[in-house]
Amino acid sequence: LDIPATSTSDDDELRHFIRPDTQVFAELGDMLTTSSRVVVIATLWPVHWATYTRSRGPVRGYPHDEPLRSARADALLGLKPLLQGVPELVAGVAFDPAFGGIIDVPDRFTEPEVLSATRQGNRAVVEAIVAARAAGKPGMVAQYLAGVPDLEEHYSGPGADPYGQAVITAAMDAARFGHAGLLPETLLHQAVVGYLDDPLRTVEQERWWQSSLQYATRELRGTVTALAPVPPATGTGVAGFRLADYLDQQGRRIRQTALGPVSLWEALVANAAHQADLSRIGQSAYDRGLY
């Protein structure tokens, strides 16, 4: 199903496995309609929901004047064909848990829900519940499970390394402008210079690059990283880096009007490995008047 070999078993974010403009949806649709032994469970940030559920209209990554005519090609237009029978999207259909559905994760859980989760005894969940309550934010369990406070502190809190922060910001903008795959080190190395103030640029990059990359990839409380190194399909090493989902979402919100420096656009063009990524990046540039 064209699932990247670099994907890890504990990563359930849909966009890390399937792009919204891919034939995989058609294959998955066939599998779900012909087999009763297939179950698909995935998470998806709200900011990406519209991209994956769009059933008509142009898809970035395809020429706007290229019609997609077949029923099978219609699945290329996103997740919507796979969700047509889900009760939440079809009026008048009773919800059947065995069939499936959509679970919206709330920003804050109720006290009865928190108590129920506590009784389950899952260590990570209990620690998140305790941390949220200690911070005066009871019920915000999902945020603490995702390491949101640690990521925020590491990225923009007091004492944040300015070079490491620049690396993370470059990754946030690259994802925002359409680079969906792993971020190569060469892309970040080339792009980061444009995110530095003049005093920081007086220091040669060779003197701070490795320490800035180590800062961006540092494990926070042993589990969360702003940029997670991903190994190659075979052998050892680092194939690229994956931006934490929360920072990706934050970048789209807090930097939505930022054009990004020239160094980033040049790095995106030089290092994007997939045609679909280049198409999205080109569209992002065009939308911002960067012809």
Side-chain angles (χ1 to χ4, degrees):
L1 288 179
D2 192 33
I3 294 177
T6 53
S7 297
T8 57
S9 59
D10 60 348
D11 184 356
D12 54 10
E13 178 67 11
L14 182 67
R15 65 191 178 86
H16 292 164
F17 293 87
I18 306 175
R19 294 185 177 89
D21 49 10
T22 176
Q23 177 71 15
V24 176
F25 282 110
E27 303 291 340
L28 188 58
D30 288 347
M31 184 179 290
L32 290 173
T33 55
T34 59
S35 173
S36 61
R37 301 176 61 86
V38 177
V39 177
V40 177
I41 302 174
T43 59
L44 189 65
W45 282 94
V47 69
H48 300 301
W49 176 254
T51 302
Y52 277 87
T53 56
R54 178 176 51 229
S55 61
R56 291 291 184 272
V59 178
R60 290 182 180 178
Y62 291 90
H64 290 250
D65 57 354
E66 178 184 339
L68 299 174
R69 300 183 183 280
S70 70
R72 188 175 183 80
D74 187 58
L76 291 172
L77 294 173
L79 188 61
K80 187 71 174 290
L82 300 181
L83 298 177
Q84 292 292 356
V86 175
E88 290 91 336
L89 298 180
V90 181
V93 178
F95 176 72
D96 181 358
F99 180 79
I102 301 166
I103 301 174
D104 288 320
V105 180
D107 289 336
R108 189 184 296 267
F109 289 93
T110 66
E111 187 60 26
E113 290 169 336
V114 170
L115 292 174
S116 176
T118 302
R119 286 194 291 268
Q120 298 298 317
N122 183 286
R123 180 178 177 182
V125 174
V126 171
E127 288 179 353
I129 290 171
V130 172
R133 186 174 288 119
K137 300 178 180 179
M140 298 184 69
V141 182
Q143 292 87 336
Y144 279 80
L145 275 173
V148 168
D150 293 325
L151 288 169
E152 289 181 338
E153 180 74 12
H154 191 64
Y155 173 59
S156 58
D161 175 66
Y163 294 106
Q165 185 183 47
V167 173
I168 297 170
T169 305
M172 292 163 70
D173 277 355
R176 181 167 62 96
F177 292 144
H179 193 291
L182 296 179
L183 296 163
E185 181 176 343
T186 52
L187 188 156
L188 298 173
H189 185 274
Q190 182 178 347
V192 69
V193 177
Y195 290 88
L196 302 176
D197 294 335
D198 287 348
L200 295 177
R201 290 195 296 108
T202 61
V203 182
E204 292 294 333
Q205 191 167 7
E206 289 72 19
R207 292 177 54 185
W208 51 261
W209 170 247
Q210 286 303 320
S211 63
S212 68
L213 192 61
Q214 290 171 3
Y215 182 87
T217 58
R218 181 184 303 168
E219 288 190 353
L220 310 177
R221 302 202 182 187
T223 56
V224 181
T225 57
L227 287 180
V230 179
T234 60
T236 60
V238 177
F241 301 89
R242 177 171 292 142
L243 179 67
D245 292 325
Y246 173 73
L247 291 178
D248 183 7
Q249 186 184 42
Q250 278 292 89
R252 296 169 192 273
R253 183 180 65 85
I254 65 177
R255 294 187 56 79
Q256 59 181 321
T257 60
L259 286 178
V262 172
S263 63
L264 173 67
W265 293 103
E266 292 178 343
L268 286 170
V269 172
N271 295 279
H274 300 285
Q275 180 61 44
D277 280 350
L278 281 172
S279 295
R280 286 188 292 268
I281 292 163
Q283 185 66 50
S284 292
Y286 185 87
D287 291 345
R288 291 162 176 79
L290 304 177
Y291 307 127

